[in-house]
Structures are given as structure tokens and as C-alpha cells.
Amino acid sequence: MSRSQSVAVRYRDVILVCRECSGDAKRIAKTLKHAVHAFEPRPRVVRTSCLDVCPKRDVCVTYLGSGTLVARVVDEDGVAPFVEDIRSLRS
């Protein structure tokens, strides 16, 4: 049986993007990466398996960090409000 190990990571916050959603998760993850690039420290954007909270034809995006925020992002237009919510949680 293997033992779990703790490892140091270079990021404090994580943004999870469901890659199995009907929407264009790959493009939304890329847009999010560019949008949070100026954040210090920068959150890590990770595409993940289904989070089981995704509405049909939307992409579920979850922020884990100072607080927790779950938002639906229908397309790239929804990224900016999501990033502003993250900015307000981090301040």
C-alpha cells in the first residue's frame, strides 16, 4: 500500500475548469489563464474531470483559495465577471 505525501507547490489558489462539459472548456481555461496572469501570486488554472455540478451546455468553473466560489461560465464573456469575483475574494 502506498503512502500519501505532502509536496510544496508554487501556487496558493486553484481554478478548476470542468473539461467534460458541453461548452468549450479548453478555450475558457486558456482565457482564464490570460485573465489571471497579472494576479500575484497567480492562481493555477487546471482542467479537471467532471465536477457533477455542471448545468447542460455550460462550463463549471470553481475557484479554491481564500474563499470558495463556484460559477457557471457559458462562454468567454462570462470569464471577466468571474475574474472580478476572484479579485474581490482575494483582497
Side-chain angles (χ1 to χ4, degrees):
M1 185 168 27
S2 66
R3 295 177 6 190
S4 62
Q5 295 180 5
S6 295
V7 294
V9 294
R10 296 181 312 205
Y11 47 88
R12 180 182 72 183
D13 302 345
V14 177
I15 299 174
L16 302 174
V17 180
C18 182
R19 69 172 174 238
E20 297 179 17
C21 294
S22 310
D24 193 356
K26 187 174 184 178
R27 186 175 57 201
I28 289 172
K30 186 175 182 178
T31 303
L32 274 167
K33 285 181 184 180
H34 290 293
V36 300
H37 187 74
F39 281 27
E40 196 57 50
R42 184 177 24 200
R44 174 81 172 187
V45 178
V46 179
R47 290 191 324 155
T48 184
S49 59
C50 188
L51 300 170
D52 282 339
V53 294
C54 310
K56 292 185 181 201
R57 294 178 299 280
D58 285 355
V59 175
C60 180
V61 179
T62 304
Y63 168 72
L64 304 168
S66 313
T68 301
L69 172 72
V70 178
R72 289 184 323 192
V73 179
V74 177
D75 55 21
E76 290 182 75
D77 295 334
V79 169
F82 180 75
V83 170
E84 287 307 312
D85 289 342
I86 292 173
R87 190 180 315 274
S88 68
L89 283 173
R90 293 176 60 138
S91 56

